[in-house]
Amino acid sequence: MHPRLADDLDHLPALIALASAYATAVLEQLDSAPVAVPPRAQAAATLSPAGIGAQEALRRFRETIAPSLSASAGPRYLGFVTGGTTPAALIGDWLAAIFDQNPVSRLDGSTALQLERDTVTMLRTLFGLPVEFAGSFVSGATMSNFVGLALAREWAGRTHGIRVSDEGLGALPRIAVLAATPHSSSTKALSMLGLGRSAWQKVACLPDREAMDLAALERHLIGAAGPCVVIASAGTVNTGDFDDFGELARLKERHRFWLHVDAAFGGFASLSPALQPLLEGWDCADSICIDLHKWLNVPYDSAVAFTRHRDLQADVFSNFSAYLGRSTEDPEPIHLVPENSHRWRALPAWFSLTAYGAEGHREIVERDCALARELSERIQRSELFDLLAPVRLNIVCFALRRRDLTEKLVAAVRDTGLTFVTPTVLHGRAAIRAAFSSWRTTERDLDTIWEALVAAAERLCQAEPQPC
Ligand SMILES: *Cc1c(COP(=O)(O)O)cnc(C)c1O
């Protein structure tokens, strides 16, 4: 054994104690650490010939890397849709690395795969989906959308008598993919699947909304040459808007199409009786994408892909080899998702669900939504900002009245270290989105966030008086 490695093995308990003490200090400071840091150049890390051992590596990390990390796991990081890590999920994630399971096979007698399946069942219950939905863990919503759309492609092929999984795309006529405001990862999936980004035909939105005009969708369906794929949104990233799933279910009775629902974060509306109506009817979907590293507050990376068509899933992803065996009636994950080997990412989810239950996770969702509503009310009462969309869930989309300064506000707020929001464009106007998705965020954080936004906006407006 290499001497550094042997030395670390000899000192493993002390090393773990050291890392644990450091981790505790980091977590204790998460509330007061700069939420985001101005981008800066960092010397490139280089390969060490002899190695420096784990203790020195930890010291180097603390001194040179950690100071320029954002506090994205903290309570006031509102960029993108970023969850934190609950205490139980953190323990689960550490143990996932300690046990280092690869839940692809039952040959060695390990129950890791069983826990993964049980966790999927717990999630299906949490989201209130019927038993017809089978679920699989994947690395994120991008992969979950990829899986759902791969099944859609296989289904569309079958309607033309083609098994795309065997015969490829060559003989397949163009498949129309209909969506109003799809997440960029869905169009990326169309590229990866060989359907092509231009397969997406944009369906009109309802006025001042990101939701689909379903009369327009029906016209597309009537005019289409063959079976279509519809991508619906449960939670758009700009405004957290929802398509009308009850109406989509009725359309499904009249027309033949595959319905994929991107519910990356909006699926969590199902946890709350008050929010659940946003999803009424969503279980008519053929495939559903839900992210876990966002609102379940498990660490990256983790998501689940649900479908009613496990048979197609096994056709697309089956992975036969002599040493791994064939897909059976009850296929293992290796035959259901793009990854073969994979991290035991079910464990952090199992820990959090077991520790806090459906009620604990509902409280996180409801508190985040209440904070988003509260921010939107402060925005509406303020002279500085315009609210650009009503808050349906956890996202607040707003802009400065001074339209020329909205983009600058994002950097100005970031540089205060008090909060972080992300820029976007809504209906052609530069906008800001603030997404509440962390278990840590409280009313007190909202006050800090609001004061930081107002102070930065006032500073900007004073520094750059209105051009006349
Ligand atoms: C975040 C997100 C995705 C992509 O998820 P990743 O986890 O980053 O792969 C897809 N759709 C929606 C609606 C999202 O919010």
Side-chain angles (χ1 to χ4, degrees), residues 81 139-143 145 183 185 235 237 262 264-265 289 291 293-294:
V81 181
S139 59
T142 300
M143 261 306 148
N145 281 330
H183 187 268
S185 61
V237 280
D262 183 347
F265 61 93
C289 149
D291 236 333
H293 53 219
K294 287 174 181 162

Side-chain angles (χ1 to χ4, degrees), residues 293-360:
H293 53 219
K294 287 174 181 162
W295 229 352
L296 194 69
N297 279 261
V298 294
Y300 295 103
D301 44 21
S302 192
V304 64
F306 283 109
T307 180
R308 291 174 172 275
H309 304 269
R310 172 135 285 182
D311 50 336
L312 289 181
Q313 200 178 357
D315 287 346
V316 173
F317 294 106
S318 111
N319 181 88
F320 170 69
S321 69
Y323 79 109
L324 290 167
R326 220 177 256 290
S327 177
T328 61
E329 281 294 289
D330 183 19
E332 291 144 341
I334 197 170
H335 304 295
L336 296 169
V337 292
E339 300 93 343
N340 276 11
S341 298
H342 60 281
R343 177 179 176 75
W344 200 17
R345 56 172 68 90
L347 193 61
W350 179 91
F351 256 92
S352 203
L353 291 168
T354 302
Y356 313 117
E359 286 172 17

